[in-house]
Amino acid sequence: MKAKIAALVVALATVAPAAWAAEEEDPVGDLAQITGLSERKVQMIVGNRSSFAEYPYTYQRSLEKFVDAVGEVRYQMLISGQPIELQDEQGQKVVFQIRESKLVKL
């Protein structure tokens, strides 16, 4: 019985950190929550916008909402590849940066 419990604890200890890390590493989702946009709209703004069918109709409106949420200066910094610091709903500071055409959370 003790061996089964020990094996279960070891299995959980090896799997759980990877699951927790996957939850924490969702920069698009985190930025979507901060800006109030959907993840899809955030991807459209910080990524390749032409791959989204709704781009011609919603990009400008979504961009305006995004810029209002993060600020013009921070938006320009983010798009130019510089890191920006934002505050999430819990009051924690989160740093985002676009690297190699991908949004990352530092």
Side-chain angles (χ1 to χ4, degrees), residues 37 41 45 57-66:
L37 294 169
K41 302 282 185 191
I45 291 169
Y57 309 106
T58 64
Y59 177 78
Q60 189 60 38
R61 203 171 356 161
S62 300
L63 177 62
E64 289 170 5
K65 188 172 181 179
F66 186 90

Side-chain angles (χ1 to χ4, degrees), residues 6 9 12 14 16 27 30-31 34 40 56-57 60 62 64-65 75-76 82 84-85 87 103:
V9 168
L12 286 175
T14 58
D30 292 343
L31 192 52
I34 291 171
R40 187 165 172 83
Y57 309 106
Q60 189 60 38
S62 300
E64 289 170 5
K65 188 172 181 179
Y75 168 73
Q76 292 298 333
Q82 298 175 22
I84 63 167
E85 183 177 271
Q87 193 168 4
L103 182 69

